């Protein structure tokens, strides 16, 4: 089997690649005055970028939850 860390790295790189492709295609469409489709692709780009940063986002969420738990005690 493939090492879990290697597979996570591959998926993360795929998310970054998808974010870049969506962003550059959205820029092309925006220049062609196809604003609605460009906005949709920018949204897709943003979600792909967030997917690439999923582990860092999860760490931040866990830290915030721990701070909330400690403050309520």
């Amino acid at each position: 089997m493939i090492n879990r860390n290697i597979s996570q790295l591959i998926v993360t790189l795929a998310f970054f690649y998808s974010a870049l492709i969506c962003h550059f295609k959205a820029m092309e469409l925006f220049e062609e005055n196809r604003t609605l489709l460009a906005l949709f692709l920018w949204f897709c780009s943003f979600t792909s970028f967030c997917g690439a940063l999923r582990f860092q986002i999860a760490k931040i969420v866990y830290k915030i939850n721990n701070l909330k738990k400690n403050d309520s005690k």
Side-chain angles (χ1 to χ4, degrees), residues 20-69:
L20 285 174
I21 295 299
C22 287
H23 171 69
F24 289 124
K25 185 62 179 178
M27 286 177 43
E28 289 177 15
L29 291 171
F30 188 73
E31 289 174 0
E32 296 172 3
N33 292 327
R34 297 179 70 189
T35 309
L36 188 60
L37 187 55
L39 288 173
F40 175 71
L41 283 177
W42 272 317
F43 175 74
C44 292
S45 176
F46 175 72
T47 57
S48 291
F49 187 72
C50 288
L53 299 176
R54 64 196 180 280
F55 298 116
Q56 288 76 16
I57 293 170
K59 286 179 186 178
I60 292 170
V61 169
Y62 287 136
K63 285 183 181 181
I64 291 171
N65 285 339
N66 286 336
L67 288 174
K68 285 183 180 180
K69 287 180 185 177

